[in-house]
Amino acid sequence: MISFQKMRVSTRLAVAGAVVLLGLVLIATYTMVQIRSDAEDAHRTRIKDIVEVSKGIVANYQKLEADKKLTTEEAQLQAKEALRTLRFGSDDYFFIYDFDGRAIMVAGNAKMEGNIFLGQTDKKGFKMWDAIVEVGKGPGKG
């Protein structure tokens, strides 16, 4: 067995330095993973809060329709326009798609509205609109 006390001073310093360096690398790695996890959690919470706000706006127009203060068409139009003006973050906006993949309201690009996007893929071959519709149809908080 190798005795730390029998090693030369330079070897002991090298071993101690390596242990300290390894410890620092482990602490830095753990810290980076934790920071990323915290940032993702904060982002999820932010998105959830933003969706809750939009649901409240839509619920108000549903109530106005139920109270016969607006027609269904008026309530839907006013709800879409209320969501169209909202922004969160620097380039983030609300959008509404129906279960057929039709863009009902896209605040970031009104030219997309009315088009059906089911089956279309992005540059990487991902069918984003199909995924959006599936999440929306699924159970839970889609």
Side-chain angles (χ1 to χ4, degrees):
M1 182 162 132
I2 300 174
S3 172
F4 190 70
Q5 288 148 353
K6 292 183 180 178
M7 291 181 187
R8 293 178 23 190
V9 173
S10 61
T11 305
R12 281 192 256 171
L13 286 174
V15 169
V19 169
V20 168
L21 184 62
L22 178 63
L24 288 173
V25 167
L26 290 174
I27 290 170
T29 301
Y30 173 78
T31 302
M32 294 303 290
V33 168
Q34 193 62 43
I35 288 171
R36 180 182 173 106
S37 175
D38 291 348
E40 287 175 354
D41 289 345
H43 183 69
R44 276 190 207 92
T45 300
R46 180 174 156 254
I47 295 296
K48 181 181 173 219
D49 292 345
I50 290 166
V51 169
E52 290 299 320
V53 167
S54 68
K55 284 171 56 178
I57 291 169
V58 171
N60 179 56
Y61 288 102
Q62 287 173 322
K63 184 177 182 327
L64 291 171
E65 180 205 3
D67 294 344
K68 306 288 187 211
K69 293 179 181 176
L70 294 173
T71 66
T72 300
E73 294 77 21
E74 290 171 333
Q76 288 175 347
L77 178 64
Q78 288 183 27
K80 286 190 307 188
E81 294 310 312
L83 292 175
R84 185 183 306 279
T85 61
L86 295 179
R87 294 291 186 272
F88 55 98
S90 57
D91 294 323
D92 298 326
Y93 54 85
F94 287 95
F95 56 86
I96 303 170
Y97 287 88
D98 66 13
F99 289 137
D100 296 325
R102 179 178 292 106
I104 304 299
M105 191 280 297
V106 183
N109 187 352
K111 293 177 185 175
M112 293 175 67
E113 294 175 15
N115 295 324
I116 297 174
F117 293 96
L118 282 183
Q120 293 187 20
T121 59
D122 64 11
K123 294 176 184 177
K124 295 181 180 178
F126 180 67
K127 294 182 179 181
M128 180 177 71
W129 294 278
D130 294 47
I132 289 171
V133 169
E134 286 307 309
V135 169
K137 286 181 178 178
K141 305 282 183 182

